[in-house]
Amino acid sequence: MRRVYSLCVLFMLAIAAIAQDKVSVAGLFPVEDQGRQIWNFNPGWRFYKGDAAGAERVDFDDSAWQVVATPHCVELEPAECSGGRNYQGVAWYRKSFTMPANSGELHFEAVMGKQKIWVNGQLATEHYGGYLPITVDLGKFGVKKGDKCLVAVMTDNSNDNTYPPGKPQYTLDFQYHGGIYRDVWLISKNDVFITDPIVENKQAGGGVFVHYENISEKSADVLIDIDVRNIAASKKRVVVDNILLDKEGRQVGHSTEKLVVEAGSSTVSRQRIRLTNPRLWSPETPYLYSIVTRVKEGKTTLDAGETRIGIRSFEFRGKDGFWLNGHKYRQFVGANRHQDFAYVGNAMPNGQQWRDVLRLKNAGFNIIRTAHYPQDPSFMDACDELGIFIIVATPGWQYWNKKETIFEDRVLQNTREIIRRDRNHPSVLMWEPILNETRFPLDFSLKSLQITKDEYPYPYRPVAAADEHSAGVRENYDVVYGWPGDDEKADKPSQCIFTREFGEYVDDWYAHNNLNRASRSWGERPQLTQALSLSSTTEQMHRTTGQFIGGAQWHPFDHQRGYHPDPYWGGDYDAFRQTKYAFYMFASQRDADAIKVAEADQAGPMVYIAHEMTQFSDSDVVVFSNCDSVKLTMYDGAKSWTLPVRHSADGEYNAPVVFKGAWNFWEARDYSYTKKSWQTVNILAEGIRDGKVVCQMRRMPSRRSTKLRLYLDDMSKPLVADGSDFVVVVAEVTDDNGNVRRLAKEDIVFTVDGEGTIIGDRDNGANPRAVEWGSAPLLVRSTMRAGKIHIHAEVLHPGTHAPTPADIEIESVPYQGSFCYDNTLNLSKSVGNTSQGGNTSNPQQLSEDQRKKLLQEVEQQQADFGIGN
């Protein structure tokens, strides 16, 4: 019999210069000499789409199954796969490895749907829900160092109304993309360790809980509760040590406590550090401290980890609005966020989670509502780092199970676990512990509210928010969801009012035609209409007496939906994260004096010309800017105008600047055709502040398509060689001068050599990829070996006058951590995400009458909660 070994390749932890790129694992960032050991368990899974009888057995033959890495979606999808085109059903994952330590637990960050997990053929757990962690203790199955171990996971993302969200996908506004779609970790701990708050299942307890008292600009009390468990046969005397570090790694506080932990029990160490002159966290200045917690026996570290914290005080003062760190805060202009991405469903790696947060930051957003479920831990970490507040929602959308009490029980437990997982994040401002747009009983509403208080019974508790039309909310909740103008009504609520979803005005809920929904592929006029519509509704977020505090756009990224054949095209970015005009409108709302928080942060004065200068373009030229005024110059100075940027009463909204009749195709043709001076046909927009030009943009019409151009959209965050990370590379069709040919119609063929692979192929429309509005995106996944990746792009049908090919070389960086997988597998290129084997999806087919009926139900729910009125 061939002997199989596990490859546990250990790299040194990131040095201080790149410490910010570390990833949290089960709530703690790794530190040196940490006692526990952590392995990246993502690579080396065998996968099968469909059911497979006996696949939990150790002796089951999975040699014909595809080898994949998590995060993983059960099938690669087309970029537009709404209306039930994604797979729903059973899928299997199996992984053989050799145990690298004497003890260990598997930590799944999330698996979609319901799951069963086996260890060496024994059922370890059954879990219901697709958005929260699952932990499996391998020690309970006698797995020790050097043992060969087999883990089998059966996932099922089919409709099930016994756990939230509960609603069938074909009536849902998003999709249940299947698979082990978040990270998996193998964690080995000593007999004495810091507990996991979800595993420990203690009210307001377990793990590390950091909370605060007496926050001011002069001082703050940082309180740290550490739950320590002892699974040894005898009691242990340990020291729990906490070191508070500033952003530069300098010690600014310290506390310690001796602790006796009885055998088979846990004990809590409660410590306090007084910090003088704290740097306070805000979206504008997201300053993070770190607490390094160590549990030591003598000089030996038994367990340790880092908790990143931001110190901030906040108050919701009703008619006086929202106050942050003792000062009245600006209006909230934010967005909701679903977690799917083109082709891969929900299977976004940590790098793309971080990039998404920076994309939202660049759009000027200062708050995100996690619609309609908790997000990836890396997304939460990035919101802390880059500075965006979060409203964390309990999974749910327009559904209440009246018949089975297990549904309510699971919803309430979800809320508890969400708070235990996310309570230390400074970005978390509100919990949404109810079910979105759902008629639920008063008793449930009050239980949900009480959980937010029980699980965070300290000052500066993130508040509970819900729609004021829901039972018990207006009378009891901390913040109510409402609309601009609600604070001017005679019967207004007493709480602060926030709009959870703005920008939606459909013609009806069956057709779903809407001014703010524009596929990027539709081009200039629809995108401009979308941007101007969203600008109008954004201005309403600044209509306030003080009690109305702003709102969140629905929705910044195009995403897939269950109940409609069209994706949601209302994004400021498409599903590949390519920008539309709406992005630049939102970016123009950002304070021109904002400070950059990352290399690719686009903070500062900006000006953008939303006009392509084609024969079909409008005569009006629209410019988005956050400056005082904009000067528009045409034809190298032959014509110019200067117009002010109109601001809202609070000075925070910047209206589009419209230069009426500035563009005339025939006038431009006179320069290029008659005067033979096509170079003169250009527009220059200059942003002016305090009488000085501080930014500018020049636009020229594109001429004939002559070449392709490739660029890497990595947001200055490098591709990590872990076999899971991916980046977007975009091919553009341009003229001789590099102007994008927006009206080009081509199909682009990509090839990749080196340490990268293409995600997708002809079957899902990935390669060749059709050019839409001048560009064709490609997803490139890393291998597990750092190195150069060469990407080549050419048109599918070359010819004498066809655009010439383009090449680009990018480079992945080494993964800073450990892997655990079977080293007999060839993982150099075999970490793809194609759909081999298994049954294809068999979506439910609905008649026209059935479709109309279910959309009428959606419309009624939306109307009940004020959407589209």
Side-chain angles (χ1 to χ4, degrees), residues 408-619:
E408 178 180 347
D409 293 342
R410 286 171 173 163
V411 173
L412 296 175
Q413 185 61 23
N414 266 210
T415 300
R416 293 185 189 96
E417 293 183 4
I418 288 167
I419 297 174
R420 291 166 188 171
R421 191 195 75 159
D422 292 340
R423 63 198 179 191
N424 290 333
H425 289 285
S427 55
V428 174
L429 185 64
M430 305 183 221
W431 311 113
E432 186 181 310
I434 49 77
L435 306 175
N436 186 60
E437 296 174 13
T438 302
R439 291 298 182 192
F440 43 74
L442 174 62
D443 182 56
F444 167 78
S445 178
L446 297 181
K447 286 179 185 176
S448 299
L449 172 62
Q450 190 60 44
I451 286 173
T452 68
K453 297 177 179 180
D454 292 342
E455 292 291 343
Y456 202 116
Y458 304 114
Y460 313 112
R461 171 184 71 91
V463 300
D467 195 286
E468 68 167 321
H469 297 91
S470 299
V473 171
R474 187 181 178 112
E475 300 80 10
N476 299 285
Y477 274 61
D478 305 295
V479 172
V480 299
Y481 291 151
W483 301 94
D486 283 359
D487 56 338
E488 301 170 1
K489 295 179 179 178
D491 62 342
K492 64 184 178 183
S494 61
Q495 304 97 316
C496 287
I497 303 166
F498 181 88
T499 295
R500 58 189 167 82
E501 298 172 16
F502 74 77
E504 284 290 86
Y505 298 96
V506 298
D507 55 355
D508 64 61
W509 290 100
Y510 183 77
H512 272 227
N513 297 310
N514 187 329
L515 290 177
N516 83 304
R517 300 183 186 183
S519 169
R520 187 174 177 275
S521 65
W522 296 347
E524 181 177 1
R525 188 182 292 267
Q527 285 192 52
L528 184 59
T529 299
Q530 175 199 29
L532 294 177
S533 173
L534 286 169
S535 176
S536 176
T537 52
T538 299
E539 184 172 14
Q540 295 177 32
M541 298 302 104
H542 298 271
R543 173 188 167 187
T544 181
T545 63
Q547 185 177 0
F548 176 71
I549 58 175
Q553 177 211 3
W554 188 269
H555 179 278
F557 304 121
D558 290 358
H559 69 86
Q560 310 305 324
R561 302 183 291 170
Y563 68 16
H564 202 280
D566 297 338
Y568 180 80
W569 280 318
D572 316 318
Y573 299 83
D574 69 6
F576 297 94
R577 288 17 180 195
Q578 296 180 105
T579 58
K580 307 179 193 178
Y581 284 163
F583 163 78
Y584 299 98
M585 184 283 296
F586 278 114
S588 72
Q589 307 310 309
R590 196 171 180 186
D591 188 342
D593 293 319
I595 301 170
K596 288 173 66 102
V597 298
E599 184 178 345
D601 186 353
Q602 297 172 9
M606 65 83 67
V607 63
Y608 183 84
I609 304 168
H611 197 281
E612 300 301 321
M613 303 177 70
T614 75
Q615 62 270 38
F616 306 110
S617 298
D618 289 341
S619 60

Side-chain angles (χ1 to χ4, degrees), residues 263-326:
S265 68
S266 67
T267 305
V268 179
S269 172
R270 302 186 189 278
Q271 302 183 29
R272 179 188 297 261
I273 298 175
R274 167 63 64 89
L275 180 64
T276 58
N277 301 317
R279 298 280 298 274
L280 301 182
W281 188 97
S282 72
E284 291 71 31
T285 56
Y287 192 92
L288 293 179
Y289 292 89
S290 295
I291 297 173
V292 177
T293 303
R294 292 186 185 277
V295 179
K296 302 182 74 173
E297 185 177 36
K299 295 183 179 180
T300 302
T301 298
L302 301 177
D303 200 7
E306 174 189 323
T307 306
R308 294 182 182 170
I309 65 168
I311 301 171
R312 76 282 184 270
S313 67
F314 57 86
E315 299 174 85
F316 291 89
R317 297 184 179 180
K319 66 180 181 180
D320 292 327
F322 174 69
W323 289 62
L324 177 65
N325 297 326

Side-chain angles (χ1 to χ4, degrees), residues 17 33 75 94 229 234 245 273 295 330 344 386 396 455 529 539 599 635 655 675 746 774-775 809 819 854:
D33 183 31
E75 65 180 0
R94 286 167 52 92
R229 179 164 288 281
S234 60
L245 305 174
I273 298 175
V295 179
R330 61 184 293 127
V344 300
L386 298 175
E455 292 291 343
T529 299
E539 184 172 14
E599 184 178 345
Y635 310 123
K675 298 177 181 177
E746 299 284 354
S775 64
E809 189 170 84
F819 293 113
L854 76 88

Side-chain angles (χ1 to χ4, degrees), residues 243-253 279 287 289-290:
I243 298 175
L244 180 61
L245 305 174
D246 67 11
K247 195 171 185 178
E248 288 71 38
R250 296 175 298 222
Q251 181 174 322
V252 293
R279 298 280 298 274
Y287 192 92
Y289 292 89
S290 295

Side-chain angles (χ1 to χ4, degrees), residues 784-858:
M784 294 179 64
R785 184 169 57 194
K788 294 180 179 180
I789 304 168
H790 185 89
I791 300 135
H792 175 81
E794 60 183 43
V795 297
L796 177 61
H797 301 291
T800 304
H801 296 289
T804 58
D807 294 86
I808 189 173
E809 189 170 84
I810 65 176
E811 191 165 0
S812 60
V813 299
Y815 174 70
Q816 303 294 330
S818 312
F819 293 113
C820 186
Y821 63 92
D822 175 359
N823 71 343
T824 64
L825 298 174
N826 178 13
L827 300 188
S828 60
K829 296 285 185 181
S830 58
V831 290
N833 197 3
T834 55
S835 302
Q836 298 177 358
N839 300 318
T840 58
S841 177
N842 186 23
Q844 181 167 347
Q845 299 297 315
L846 302 178
S847 68
E848 183 175 353
D849 287 343
Q850 287 174 316
R851 288 197 297 269
K852 287 181 178 179
K853 183 176 183 297
L854 76 88
L855 266 299
Q856 287 170 355
E857 294 172 0
V858 171

